[in-house]
Every structure is written in structure tokens, then in C-alpha cells.
Amino acid sequence: MTVLIIEDEELAAVTLQNMLVHINPEIQVHAIVGTVEAAVNWLQNHQADLLFMDIHLGDGESFQIFQRVEVSSPVIFTTAYDQYTLKAFKNQGIDYLLKPFDEEDVRSALTKLSNIRQTTINTPQLVQKVEEVLGRTRNRFMVKVGKLIKTVPADQVAYFMADDKYLFLVTKDQQNYIIEETIGSLEPKLDQDNFFRINRKFIIHINAIKEMYKLSRNRVRIHLSPKPENVEVVVSEERAEAFKRWLDQ
């Protein structure tokens, strides 16, 4: 079976690829693409037996792909959000994996694909599973300082910052820790009233915002406290409206 992975987080894409090969060494991942544009270009010239498709990509939602190119292959959607379930099933979706998912979730989705002609997808049960996963909220985080292990309460976190292959937890008192998660897998576990993912690199706490400035294309520049070094913090254009609603709730 050939697979196309559409995922804008490199670590998440590589992890999924490794899961697929471990489940079945005969699975061939033909390509990994990270944007709507790249996915459209690939699908115009190639075909895969199965697509794994993250919903939120760097240049928009992956549903835009279906408006620009015919997709005949079944799709397993992957996302940190639960509100797209029905829309996913209307766009070639056969399963909906809520991040963070594990190898057993992927194995189950592949089994569903192999039995799709004999099986009816039970949407209410799937929605219930998604809601159960979203119901778990992180109150603290385990971090390591040399050989020392400690916990950081969620209310002490100023923001999370993705940098290359690492995800940093930055506290209000300017302490920095590396945590072993991806920004995509962490996002749905946080208290949505206090934390918001403003772009591909940052999830910020409401109390870490010092100042905000309006930019072109509806974007917002944010001054955080503590201030990250050599990084401009800007709410991405596609997240700007949701960010403003979050501020005003």
C-alpha cells in the first residue's frame, strides 16, 4: 500500500511514518508534504492508496485541497480539534485520529480501511471518543534539570515555543525547559480558556501577553513576558480571528 502524508509538523510526520512501517513494512510512504499548495501539486501528478491528512496546515485548512484537485483515495484525518468530524467524513474521510494518537490508533484505522466495504463507520461513537480525549486537561508538566526531575504547574507557564526539533516550556520567572512533546500533540491538552496557539511555533498563556499591535492582513504582533530572544511573535493570519474571539471571551 502506498501512502501520502500531509502534515506540517516534521516530527509528527516522521513519527507517523515510523508507525506505519512498524505496523506493516510493506507500506510505502511516497511523500510527506506540509502545505495545501504542495499537496495539490503532488496529487495533480501522483496517486496514493491512502492519505493521512492533518487538517491545519501552514497555509490553510486541508479541506481546501478537495476544492482544487480531485481526491479519489480514502483519507485518514489527523487533528488536534474535534469540530471537523462530520466535514472530514464528507471529504473522503474513513477515520479521524485526534492528536496525540498512538500506534494502536493508526493500526485500528488501517484495519477499518481494509474492512471498509463490510463495515459502517459509527460517527456518534467516534465523536464520543474524540470528546473523551479532549476532556483531559493538563494541570502540570514533568521536566528534567540534569538528573533532577520536577513538575511545573500549568499556571506557572508563560508560553510553549517550538524551535527546530524541540519544544520549550517557558515559565513566568524565565525558566526554560525542554519537554518531550510536539506542539500539535500538546495543544488539545491545555486549558483553552488560558492557552492559545497563535502560530506554528507558539502556544501562549493569556497572562504572558504584555502588549499587542495590529499588523497588516489581520495579523497581531505580541510582546510576551518574559520576552523570547531573537524571535518576533506574531499571530498568524489564519488564526487571527479565532485569537480575537479568545481574547474577548
Side-chain angles (χ1 to χ4, degrees):
M1 179 169 60
T2 59
V3 172
L4 170 66
I5 296 176
I6 304 173
E7 167 65 66
D8 65 341
E9 294 181 11
E10 182 179 357
L11 179 58
V14 172
T15 299
L16 174 57
Q17 181 179 25
N18 292 338
M19 287 181 183
L20 291 170
V21 173
H22 185 257
I23 292 170
N24 184 352
E26 295 185 359
I27 292 177
Q28 300 179 25
V29 177
H30 273 192
I32 298 174
V33 296
T35 64
V36 171
E37 191 67 31
V40 169
N41 291 338
W42 194 93
L43 289 167
Q44 286 175 336
N45 299 288
H46 306 86
Q47 189 170 357
D49 298 322
L50 173 65
L51 312 183
F52 277 85
M53 186 178 291
D54 186 15
I55 290 179
H56 286 278
L57 301 173
D59 57 347
E61 290 184 0
S62 59
F63 295 120
Q64 298 171 19
I65 296 169
F66 299 91
Q67 300 171 7
R68 297 177 56 186
V69 66
E70 182 177 355
V71 179
S72 57
S73 305
V75 179
I76 296 174
F77 287 93
T78 64
T79 182
Y81 303 90
D82 69 334
Q83 65 262 40
Y84 301 101
T85 309
L86 296 179
K87 192 173 183 179
F89 287 129
K90 292 179 180 179
N91 289 277
Q92 297 293 113
I94 64 162
D95 211 340
Y96 188 99
L97 301 183
L98 190 73
K99 296 180 179 180
F101 53 83
D102 57 23
E103 187 170 305
E104 284 305 308
D105 295 320
V106 177
R107 188 186 302 274
S108 175
L110 293 175
T111 300
K112 180 177 291 185
L113 173 63
S114 66
N115 297 326
I116 194 68
R117 291 182 179 178
Q118 292 81 31
T119 304
T120 300
I121 297 175
N122 192 323
T123 302
Q125 287 184 2
L126 181 59
V127 172
Q128 180 180 359
K129 178 181 177 182
V130 170
E131 291 175 343
E132 288 173 354
V133 173
L134 281 177
R136 298 196 295 266
T137 301
R138 293 284 290 275
N139 297 313
R140 56 187 175 271
F141 304 88
M142 186 191 76
V143 298
K144 298 177 182 178
V145 184
K147 294 185 178 181
L148 175 67
I149 297 176
K150 61 180 291 187
T151 59
V152 177
D155 61 6
Q156 294 301 309
V157 177
Y159 51 86
F160 298 91
M161 180 178 67
D163 186 10
D164 195 16
K165 297 181 180 180
Y166 300 101
L167 182 63
F168 291 90
L169 181 159
V170 181
T171 65
K172 296 176 181 178
D173 58 356
Q174 302 185 46
Q175 300 299 309
N176 290 263
Y177 305 100
I178 295 176
I179 59 174
E180 297 179 355
E181 298 194 50
T182 66
I183 195 168
S185 67
L186 178 65
E187 184 180 4
K189 303 175 188 177
L190 299 173
D191 179 357
Q192 303 300 306
D193 289 336
N194 291 313
F195 289 94
F196 189 88
R197 183 175 178 181
I198 61 170
N199 56 35
R200 295 175 63 185
K201 290 183 174 291
F202 281 91
I203 297 176
I204 65 172
H205 192 284
I206 184 67
N207 292 335
I209 299 175
K210 185 177 179 180
E211 294 176 331
M212 294 180 287
Y213 299 90
K214 184 178 179 180
L215 299 177
S216 62
R217 303 198 309 276
N218 207 31
R219 296 171 302 154
V220 179
R221 178 185 292 116
I222 299 177
H223 289 182
L224 293 174
S225 178
K227 182 180 179 181
E229 295 184 5
N230 303 318
V231 179
E232 184 180 44
V233 183
V234 176
V235 181
S236 64
E237 184 176 358
E238 61 269 18
R239 295 178 182 265
E241 288 300 327
F243 174 71
K244 292 174 182 177
R245 290 194 297 271
W246 176 71
L247 290 175
D248 199 36
Q249 65 185 4

